Amino acid sequence: DGGITQSPKYLFRKEGQNVTLSCEQNLNHDAMYWYRQDPGQGLRLIYYSQIVNDFQKGDIAEGYSVSREKKESFPLTVTSAQKNPTAFYLCASSFGGRETQYFGPGTRLLVL
Amino acid sequence: KQEVTQIPAALSVPEGENLVLNCSFTDSAIYNLQWFRQDPGKGLTSLLLIQSSQREQTSGRLNASLDKSSGRSTLYIAASQPGDSATYLCAVAHTGGFKTIFGAGTRLFVKA
């Protein structure tokens, strides 16, 4: 089955802790994205990557970091610098920029 | 700066009714427009993608139209069913960049 997987489904972060959200795709897509979704708001772009070993900041990159060492994987780290991390995080991929994006099931991050 | 607005934020209809969801955008220089469906606590599923050169796209009971000059798109759902209950988001890809801008969505309730 081709698709995008995200783990974990729920993640709890303690104050001052860094946490990493996993995103893996087997669709052979070049582009991958991380979005944040808050209640009543549209998706906001955190980071995107058009190709392996390259990524760019989106609209709300502060307090987050990413890596793209493999085509299939695009992990997102929520650092202690992100003061309001509670949200639903969605990963997506596409063949290229502006093409149809395919989304994973999401990770809900909660702060203890 | 591209802004995408969806009105109303929520809509409740009886089963069997035909309905229209609205999406407006401020910059007509778009590459394409997509409609997505999101079930509670889940990722997004692409429903229809309209290229900037197209006027409409159809899939089953769904029909999406695009009027670039007025900055509007509509999603028409025929003979609504309770299983159509979800949040519907539109998203616009701009010609001048890599990012896709999402609306906040319309939450649809179809009553049996």
Side-chain angles (χ1 to χ4, degrees):
Chain A
D1 274 343
I4 302 179
T5 58
Q6 290 186 243
S7 62
K9 186 173 182 179
Y10 295 96
L11 186 58
F12 298 91
R13 193 191 90 165
K14 295 180 182 178
E15 192 170 339
Q17 186 182 41
N18 294 351
V19 294
T20 298
L21 286 61
S22 170
C23 177
E24 303 276 336
Q25 56 97 1
N26 62 4
L27 300 169
N28 199 33
H29 286 168
D30 286 314
M32 297 188 74
Y33 315 78
W34 274 106
Y35 293 95
R36 169 176 171 146
Q37 187 176 34
D38 294 282
Q41 297 189 35
L43 277 66
R44 291 184 290 168
L45 184 64
I46 305 173
Y47 269 97
Y48 65 96
S49 169
Q50 296 177 260
I51 199 168
V52 175
N53 293 323
D54 185 58
F55 50 83
Q56 284 80 42
K57 293 181 180 180
D59 298 319
I60 55 165
E62 185 174 352
Y64 301 97
S65 66
V66 295
S67 63
R68 185 84 187 277
E69 298 176 1
K70 297 187 302 181
K71 187 175 185 177
E72 301 80 18
S73 179
F74 192 39
L76 173 74
T77 296
V78 183
T79 74
S80 57
Q82 173 49 246
K83 298 307 180 186
N84 183 25
T86 298
F88 191 51
Y89 291 86
L90 288 160
C91 179
S93 70
S94 65
F95 279 113
R98 301 177 296 188
E99 302 302 323
T100 298
Q101 294 185 23
Y102 296 83
F103 282 80
T107 292
R108 189 165 299 279
L109 176 61
L110 300 167
V111 177
L112 295 176
Chain B
K1 180 185 173 184
Q2 178 73 273
E3 293 182 4
V4 179
T5 304
Q6 293 186 249
I7 296 174
L11 179 65
S12 181
V13 301
E15 182 178 6
E17 189 164 299
N18 301 326
L19 61 100
V20 174
L21 305 180
N22 298 295
C23 172
S24 61
F25 47 93
T26 55
D27 187 343
S28 61
I30 68 170
Y31 183 79
N32 61 42
L33 183 145
Q34 277 190 262
W35 283 94
F36 291 89
R37 169 184 172 138
Q38 185 177 30
D39 293 292
K42 306 288 186 183
L44 279 65
T45 300
S46 180
L47 298 173
L48 291 164
L49 183 147
I50 311 177
Q51 300 292 352
S52 62
S53 59
Q54 297 175 319
R55 296 283 295 186
E56 65 179 330
Q57 282 284 346
T58 298
S59 176
R61 294 184 294 109
L62 306 179
N63 176 277
S65 68
L66 174 64
D67 184 345
K68 278 199 314 179
S69 61
S70 67
R72 294 183 180 181
S73 176
T74 61
L75 180 66
Y76 174 83
I77 302 177
S80 59
Q81 304 169 357
D84 295 329
S85 298
T87 297
Y88 291 81
L89 297 95
C90 70
V92 173
H94 196 264
T95 55
F98 192 85
K99 295 188 291 185
T100 297
I101 308 300
F102 288 79
T106 294
R107 183 175 292 184
L108 173 66
F109 299 96
V110 181
K111 298 172 289 186

